[in-house]
Amino acid sequence: PDTNEPLLSVGVVEDIDEQRKAQAALEETRRDLEAMVEARTAALAQRDLLLREVYHRVKNNLQVIDSLLVMQAKQLTDTTAKAALLALRSRVYALGLVHHQLMGSANLSTFDVAPFLQELSTNVVEGGADQDVELNVEAIPLEVGLDFAIPLGLLVTELVTNALKHAFPAGPGTIDVILERG
């Protein structure tokens, strides 16, 4: 006690070998998970690229079909046959527009139908109106996929075309295309 040195000393010894092994295993698992996420992200990016390419090729092939229809219609003298080919053109346009919209969408599986309906209806009216026809498209924002958009596009094409042919025998008029929740 006179030397100011401790009389007693206490020590704790802890085996941290298991803790270090667990920490190393956890770090290895984290690296493996990061590698798997990176590989999946790369695979999804590749899938998106391929899907965009498919949509682009389908759209281009439909444009070729449209050009062939125009060339064929120019050679025909029968007005009924010519009208049938031109009606077919608007259907082909609707299909191409669906693929164009999907190609430009963020997730490649759905797109907002409102701008699609506007562009589709405008194209039909501009291509088929002999008189002064006003177009009014009111569509709610609605994400749709390929299976819904194609029949909807064909239906709208037919309805707008029929309205142009039959709804305005006395002259100008208005076509309303409305999509709302019921």
Side-chain angles (χ1 to χ4, degrees), residues 1-9:
D2 293 338
T3 63
N4 287 335
E5 291 185 23
L7 295 176
L8 180 62
S9 114

Side-chain angles (χ1 to χ4, degrees), residues 94-110:
L95 296 174
L97 187 57
V98 168
H99 287 277
H100 178 73
Q101 295 287 328
L102 283 169
M103 192 174 63
S105 73
N107 63 12
L108 296 174
S109 60
T110 63

Side-chain angles (χ1 to χ4, degrees), residues 33 44 49 72 116 153 162 168:
L33 283 173
L44 285 174
L49 179 67
Q72 188 67 45
F116 166 72
N162 285 342
F168 311 111

Side-chain angles (χ1 to χ4, degrees), residues 87-163:
L88 183 57
R89 273 190 77 201
S90 63
R91 294 179 190 105
V92 169
Y93 178 81
L95 296 174
L97 187 57
V98 168
H99 287 277
H100 178 73
Q101 295 287 328
L102 283 169
M103 192 174 63
S105 73
N107 63 12
L108 296 174
S109 60
T110 63
F111 62 90
D112 184 7
V113 75
F116 166 72
L117 289 176
Q118 178 68 51
E119 187 174 344
L120 178 64
S121 301
T122 300
N123 180 271
V124 173
V125 169
E126 287 175 354
D130 292 335
Q131 64 256 8
D132 186 26
V133 174
E134 185 180 325
L135 175 67
N136 180 31
V137 179
E138 295 176 25
I140 61 168
L142 179 65
E143 291 290 314
V144 298
L146 189 65
D147 292 339
F148 183 83
I150 286 179
L152 177 66
L154 293 173
L155 178 66
V156 169
T157 299
E158 291 302 312
L159 292 172
V160 173
T161 301
N162 285 342

